[in-house]
Amino acid sequence: MSKQSDIGKRIDETLESLRGVQRAELSPWFFTRVKARLERDQHNIWETAGSFMARPAIAIAGLVLILCINAFIVFEKDTLPSDPASISSNITEPVEEYVLNAANSNYDYENLEP
Amino acid sequence: MDERILVEGLKQGDEAAFKTIVETWQNMVYNTALGIVQNAEDAEDIAQEVFVQVYQSISSFKGESKFSTWLYRITVTKSLDHERKKKRKKRFGFVRSIFGDQNEVLVNPPDFHHPGVTLDNKENAAVLFKAISELPENQKVAFTLNKVEGLSYQEVSDVMKTSVSSVESLMHRAKNNLRKKLEDHYNRGK
């Protein structure tokens, strides 16, 4: 019983041990170190980008993306019509339509009169 | 100097303003990081990272909260990130040791002694810090900000972006958990 109350007392003392704790302080040269780190970080932007790209997960993901783009381009090329005649007929249709419309325009009626 | 003037100065790229900001808040940032990571070198490293981030992302500070609250948030986030990274490394080291790689040596960190604790409380505070390090993240942050940094529950709730009642609940749970851990510790006789 007394052991339990001893432990209870020690726990209370321990929980109160941070009462009146002072703030920990840094050395006066801290700002110089921050400045040096800032300059180092600015110089290292390309290095950081390089090391980011060199990460296995990023490198593999990039490779897979390039392969997917290649595969997409190859398959898209295969789905284009192979007969050049059908392509040219498709192109001439709008031109013919334009010529017909042009003949019936108000401008032509006006020009027919002397 | 008024913090708004300093922040505006830093936004304009004024180095003197940055120097004043660092010198004004460096111990606040360091003490908070030290309370969470419980290692002087790591805490200084985190404090440097915090001010580098402040310099680089000051434009994102809109003045909706106090500048010190914004600084506390960055410090807490970086400190917790550091703790997670350390835990991951420890776990990875454990896995490596299972597979027979003996290069990674698992070392239990020595007791942490906060430099601001009075001499007569030194031993008890070391035991308490050990117990704090085992608390869940939210409870650890709330307890550290309140007991080590001396923030009120209102200020803690501003930093943690939560309500005062949530902070009260976190503190209550933290104290209960600490009590259990300390009881185990003293029952084991160490």
Side-chain angles (χ1 to χ4, degrees):
Chain A
M1 184 70 187
S2 89
K3 194 192 169 194
Q4 276 304 313
S5 67
D6 279 355
I7 287 176
K9 199 181 157 204
R10 286 196 76 179
I11 290 170
D12 288 339
E13 281 172 4
T14 306
L15 284 171
E16 286 300 307
S17 62
L18 292 180
R19 191 179 284 273
V21 64
Q22 298 291 307
R23 217 175 228 175
E25 289 185 6
L26 278 163
S27 74
W29 298 282
F30 179 70
F31 177 70
T32 318
R33 290 183 197 150
V34 173
K35 256 189 79 179
R37 188 170 185 146
L38 204 53
E39 279 162 17
R40 202 177 63 212
D41 280 11
Q42 279 166 348
H43 285 304
N44 283 351
I45 286 172
W46 288 110
E47 229 170 77
T48 313
S51 65
F52 176 75
M53 295 293 284
R55 281 184 195 174
I58 304 296
I60 291 167
L63 195 66
V64 168
L65 185 70
I66 290 168
L67 288 173
C68 286
I69 292 169
N70 277 336
F72 176 76
I73 290 168
V74 168
F75 287 120
E76 275 297 295
K77 202 178 166 187
D78 287 348
T79 54
L80 283 174
S82 52
D83 182 16
S86 67
I87 300 171
S88 63
S89 69
N90 283 342
I91 294 168
T92 51
E93 266 173 24
V95 175
E96 284 164 3
E97 210 169 89
Y98 172 75
V99 171
L100 281 172
N101 286 339
N104 295 331
S105 69
N106 288 339
Y107 177 79
D108 288 329
Y109 283 125
E110 282 166 16
N111 282 344
L112 286 172
E113 289 176 15
Chain B
M1 201 190 279
D2 186 1
E3 71 174 41
R4 273 175 304 176
I5 297 169
L6 288 172
V7 169
E8 279 311 310
L10 184 54
K11 280 182 180 174
Q12 307 297 321
D14 179 7
E15 196 180 303
F18 183 54
K19 191 176 183 200
T20 312
I21 284 173
V22 173
E23 286 171 352
T24 307
W25 284 286
Q26 63 180 37
N27 291 334
M28 181 197 92
V29 168
Y30 174 62
N31 195 49
T32 308
L34 187 63
I36 297 172
V37 302
Q38 300 185 8
N39 177 294
E41 279 176 25
D42 291 349
E44 180 170 344
D45 207 43
I46 289 165
Q48 286 180 16
E49 275 181 35
V50 168
F51 286 108
V52 167
Q53 184 168 338
V54 165
Y55 186 85
Q56 288 168 343
S57 59
I58 189 67
S59 55
S60 68
F61 176 68
K62 306 289 177 213
E64 287 155 357
S65 61
K66 277 163 68 181
F67 184 67
S68 57
T69 306
W70 190 61
L71 272 180
Y72 272 125
R73 278 186 204 142
I74 299 174
T75 310
V76 167
T77 308
K78 288 210 176 283
S79 301
L80 291 178
D81 281 349
H82 177 274
E83 285 292 281
R84 287 180 204 131
K85 216 181 277 177
K86 208 166 72 180
K87 265 187 198 161
R88 268 203 304 274
K89 259 188 190 172
K90 210 172 170 182
R91 221 174 291 148
F92 183 60
F94 176 70
V95 172
R96 283 180 66 170
S97 70
I98 289 172
F99 287 101
D101 189 343
Q102 299 300 318
N103 292 336
E104 195 82 21
V105 185
L106 293 173
V107 182
N108 284 326
D111 285 348
F112 167 65
H113 294 285
H114 191 285
V117 172
T118 52
L119 206 62
D120 49 333
N121 279 329
K122 209 175 165 185
E123 200 182 320
N124 281 341
V127 174
L128 181 58
F129 271 114
K130 175 94 176 60
I132 293 171
S133 71
E134 292 164 9
L135 286 175
E137 279 182 357
N138 273 357
Q139 293 175 27
K140 192 198 289 186
V141 169
F143 194 86
T144 306
L145 290 175
N146 178 248
K147 298 289 180 189
V148 181
E149 259 298 294
L151 298 190
S152 65
Y153 283 5
Q154 177 63 58
E155 288 168 321
V156 175
S157 71
D158 289 342
V159 174
M160 296 181 78
K161 287 187 177 171
T162 184
S163 64
V164 175
S165 57
S166 300
V167 174
E168 281 170 355
S169 157
L170 280 173
M171 287 298 288
H172 182 71
R173 276 184 279 153
K175 282 176 190 167
N176 281 345
N177 282 336
L178 288 173
R179 217 166 252 289
K180 277 181 209 157
K181 286 174 197 300
L182 293 174
E183 202 175 330
D184 287 348
H185 174 83
Y186 288 124
N187 275 326
R188 277 201 311 270
K190 200 229 156 186

